[in-house]
Amino acid sequence: MDTNFYQLLENFTTGVVIHNANTEVIYSNQAALIFLGLSIDQIQGKSATDPRWQFIREDGSTMPLEEYPVYQVLTSRKMLLDLVVGVIRPDLDYPVWGLCNAHPEMDDEGNVDKVVLNFTDISERKQIENKLLESEKRFSNAFIYAPIGMALVSLESKFLKVNPALCSILGYSENELSSLTFRDITYPEDLDVTNLFTANLLLPDNKILRIENRYFHKKRHIIWVNISVSIVRDEQNQPLYFLAQIQDITQKKQADIELNKALENAKVSALSKSRFLDIAAHELRTPVTAFSLLLQLTQKKLEKGIPVDSPTLNRLRSQVERISQLVIELLDVSRLERGTLDLKTKPTDLISMISQCINDFKVHPLNRNINFIKPPGKIEINIDPLRIYQVLSNLIDNAIKYTSDNLPIEISVETRSGLVRVSVKDQGEGISEKQQHELFAPFMRGESEETEKAGGLGLGLFISHEIIALHGGSIGVTSQMGVGSTFYFELPV
Amino acid sequence: MTASQPKTILIIEDEKEILYTLKEFLEFEDYQVIIAVNGLESMELLKTSVMPNLILLDMKMPIMNGWEFAAAFLAKYNQMSPIIAVTAAADAEQRAKSINAIDWIEKPFDLDLLVNKIKMHIR
């Protein structure tokens, strides 16, 4: 090579080193000397094995001799491209990095005569790369050890990477999740919102969005989650993937639901009570009005010398009885609410008690058609006869109120497997299934014109239910709209 | 009021004891009284009876309540006998105004007060 050529090499910013076939350095340009931190004397004529320099691989481990560029080219007799080589310099406590190319030069007989190395200093690039690696590692650690669920999700909603916290929230392994999309685990009703949400996130301005929705756990129960999603974009601002942070808020949500339920119940109960006060005032006002008017009339008659007769007194008395009945009902409810309603049980023949109750109804001014399908003999059970009489009387009274005149009411008794069942069957308009559930709750009445007409506090069935429960029995109804209802109670024999 | 021209009062009330007592009282006061237990029965009755000079109308009744009766009456006869609304409701005044009643009275009430109101409004 001529002097001009070497002159040119001297001005290169790329380092150039030429070895002979024995690996001795026969030339090194200025850029190479700077890169290696050596003077020309320190390198000229030295072989590649000289301990003055030491090469390392990209991963930081020591590079064995056979991997040195010069040896590789001597062995392969081919060009070597883009080998990253780290150089431990005696004057620095960190390596410098070069990207190295090398090619053989052959003599006339085709043997390798020289090896020409050139290398670019890539230390700066390596430093940036290392920093990136480090920050990636930091992110990766944050991802893995985060106490909340995290996931990298593709734009097609596939789970690219999930952390252990998310696996434990969802009950899936990392592998299982990698074959799922987040749509697969989203509660169907929340899918629309989720779709809208991701569409919004893809808009250029959006960086992070939060949403609360429901996921399915692997075991198919519902988990409430709070999700924050940000979108990761490339240098051209094109979306790459979603980064989601997922927090399990099921417990909080359940507490919220319980709280709302309690609030709702409190509202309903307050509403029932105020409705009850309305009904109680109305129901008391009617007999009080009737009583008051009749009493005033009687007084006016007396003033004109017309004496009080017995039928008038009976009419007055019957209004007072209505008022008393309402007061007794109120007292019963109050006792039940305080748990102070005590049964006075004694052995009682149920059949004769039922007969007695029906007879009392037959002398009732309405004198309704009540049929008792009376079984032979006695059924002796331990009950509070007055309370059971009260229940039966309430059921018959209801049947009369809700059945048109003259349609018969049928009462029957059957015993089976340790229980006796008393049924009161009417031919009223029937009770819808929804109302059937509410009938035995306090302050409830069926809602129809017939119930308006019938009046009452709506406490009878509640009181009956509680009395039967105190006896260890049960009370219920079967009903068909337009056909009629059968109320029954069962008592242990 | 002269004995030769008794005025007629229609009482519409579903609570029978109240109905009969009012009837007896107003007859005692020399009115002619016709009665019905709901709006529908009143409309039937009016087909054959004289037009009442005043109506005592209970509001809350089954089958045809006070509001429905007031509407049906106006629609059929194109005029209105004066109505005194008799009600147990807390919002008696409002209820009375909603059917253009001339007055209202709240249960339970004083018979003398009722007579005064009747005398004031009867035609």
Side-chain angles (χ1 to χ4, degrees), chain A residues 37-55:
Chain A
L38 299 169
S39 65
I40 187 73
D41 301 332
Q42 284 172 319
I43 191 168
Q44 195 71 30
K46 303 291 187 306
S47 80
T49 58
D50 193 283
R52 244 179 283 263
W53 49 77
Q54 204 191 331
F55 294 151

Side-chain angles (χ1 to χ4, degrees), chain A residues 35-298:
Chain A
F35 177 69
L36 295 168
L38 299 169
S39 65
I40 187 73
D41 301 332
Q42 284 172 319
I43 191 168
Q44 195 71 30
K46 303 291 187 306
S47 80
T49 58
D50 193 283
R52 244 179 283 263
W53 49 77
Q54 204 191 331
F55 294 151
I56 57 172
R57 293 163 165 160
E58 202 171 1
D59 63 7
S61 60
T62 307
M63 187 177 275
L65 274 181
E66 63 270 22
E67 278 181 32
Y68 279 27
V70 58
Y71 284 109
Q72 284 197 50
V73 172
L74 282 172
T75 312
S76 70
R77 301 157 54 85
K78 281 183 184 152
M79 253 176 104
L80 174 72
L81 286 174
D82 293 340
L83 180 71
V84 175
V85 181
V87 183
I88 307 287
R89 280 167 39 165
D91 57 332
L92 293 176
D93 50 10
Y94 53 89
V96 292
W97 293 92
L99 187 64
C100 180
N101 295 329
H103 68 267
E105 277 189 12
M106 306 298 181
D107 59 17
D108 297 342
E109 287 156 25
N111 296 316
V112 177
D113 182 31
K114 295 188 186 80
V115 178
V116 181
L117 271 67
N118 66 72
F119 34 87
T120 316
D121 188 344
I122 57 164
S123 297
E124 220 169 290
R125 206 178 86 195
K126 277 300 278 188
Q127 225 171 349
I128 292 168
E129 265 178 32
N130 278 340
K131 272 188 186 156
L132 269 176
L133 268 176
E134 217 171 282
S135 100
E136 236 170 73
K137 199 172 167 189
R138 267 205 298 267
F139 171 76
S140 175
N141 278 342
F143 190 89
I144 291 167
Y145 299 116
I148 63 167
M150 288 180 82
L152 288 183
V153 178
S154 77
L155 300 181
E156 295 76 35
S157 70
K158 271 185 110 56
F159 287 107
L160 300 174
K161 196 168 157 56
V162 293
N163 74 346
L166 183 61
C167 291
S168 102
I169 290 173
L170 296 172
Y172 288 101
S173 71
E174 205 175 323
N175 257 342
E176 288 169 321
L177 277 178
S178 68
S179 62
L180 292 173
T181 70
F182 70 77
R183 286 174 211 284
D184 295 330
I185 60 159
T186 300
Y187 188 71
E189 274 179 32
D190 293 345
L191 267 177
D192 284 350
V193 182
T194 307
N195 287 341
L196 191 69
F197 181 72
T198 36
N200 258 328
L201 207 52
L202 287 169
L203 296 175
D205 299 336
N206 276 330
K207 294 209 170 64
I208 186 158
L209 285 174
R210 286 185 181 82
I211 189 177
E212 252 181 33
N213 70 7
R214 284 162 289 184
Y215 280 163
F216 280 121
H217 188 270
K218 190 184 179 185
K219 292 178 179 157
R220 302 311 286 171
H221 59 259
I222 288 170
I223 324 159
W224 277 95
V225 286
N226 192 339
I227 314 170
S228 301
V229 189
S230 52
I231 191 153
V232 180
R233 295 169 189 274
D234 65 12
E235 282 165 14
Q236 278 75 48
N237 207 28
Q238 290 305 303
L240 289 175
Y241 46 76
F242 300 111
L243 174 62
Q245 296 181 300
I246 296 145
Q247 207 175 355
D248 186 347
I249 53 163
T250 310
Q251 277 190 339
K252 177 184 164 288
K253 212 64 192 178
Q254 268 162 355
D256 282 357
I257 289 168
E258 293 294 317
L259 190 67
N260 277 336
K261 232 188 259 173
L263 270 176
E264 203 48 47
N265 282 344
K267 272 187 209 158
V268 167
S269 140
L271 198 71
S272 304
K273 286 208 166 142
S274 97
R275 223 183 73 181
F276 169 71
L277 283 176
D278 275 354
I279 294 170
H282 181 87
E283 291 306 319
L284 278 167
R285 205 195 291 229
T286 303
V288 166
T289 302
F291 182 86
S292 151
L293 290 178
L294 189 54
L295 190 62
Q296 290 179 63
L297 175 62
T298 307

Side-chain angles (χ1 to χ4, degrees), chain A residues 1 54 123 178 241 269 322 364 402 450 462 464 484:
Chain A
M1 280 189 257
Q54 204 191 331
S123 297
S178 68
Y241 46 76
S269 140
R322 271 176 78 180
H364 202 266
Y402 295 107
E450 290 212 343
F462 169 64
S464 296

Side-chain angles (χ1 to χ4, degrees), chain A residues 340-489:
Chain A
T340 55
L341 191 140
D342 297 319
L343 296 181
K344 295 174 185 71
T345 55
K346 62 180 182 190
T348 309
D349 175 22
L350 189 65
I351 302 301
S352 59
M353 195 219 79
I354 295 171
S355 300
Q356 180 61 48
C357 183
I358 293 168
N359 280 337
D360 292 346
F361 267 97
K362 289 206 163 155
V363 298
H364 202 266
L366 291 163
N367 193 19
R368 293 293 291 266
N369 185 359
I370 304 173
N371 295 333
F372 181 24
I373 305 166
K374 191 174 173 180
K378 295 180 169 187
I379 298 176
E380 192 139 303
I381 53 173
N382 211 29
I383 52 171
D384 181 334
L386 288 178
R387 288 297 179 187
I388 296 299
Y389 180 100
Q390 184 185 352
V391 172
L392 182 61
S393 150
N394 175 240
L395 296 186
I396 295 175
D397 198 43
N398 282 343
I400 289 172
K401 278 179 186 162
Y402 295 107
T403 309
S404 312
D405 296 353
N406 298 323
L407 284 173
I409 289 151
E410 193 180 286
I411 295 165
S412 57
V413 181
E414 39 180 337
T415 44
R416 58 174 176 204
S417 52
L419 291 173
V420 55
R421 175 190 278 225
V422 180
S423 304
V424 178
K425 185 177 169 191
D426 68 45
Q427 294 180 32
E429 67 176 28
I431 304 159
S432 73
E433 247 176 71
K434 181 179 171 278
Q435 287 185 13
Q436 286 177 31
H437 293 302
E438 296 173 341
L439 279 176
F440 300 97
F443 318 137
M444 285 293 179
R445 285 193 299 177
E447 277 168 24
S448 73
E449 273 199 352
E450 290 212 343
T451 53
E452 294 274 298
K453 180 177 70 185
L457 291 176
L459 293 175
L461 285 176
F462 169 64
I463 295 168
S464 296
H465 177 269
E466 299 300 299
I467 289 173
I468 295 297
L470 285 173
H471 279 87
S474 61
I475 191 167
V477 61
T478 57
S479 184
Q480 205 182 340
M481 296 304 286
V483 177
S485 308
T486 301
F487 282 83
Y488 60 85
F489 59 85

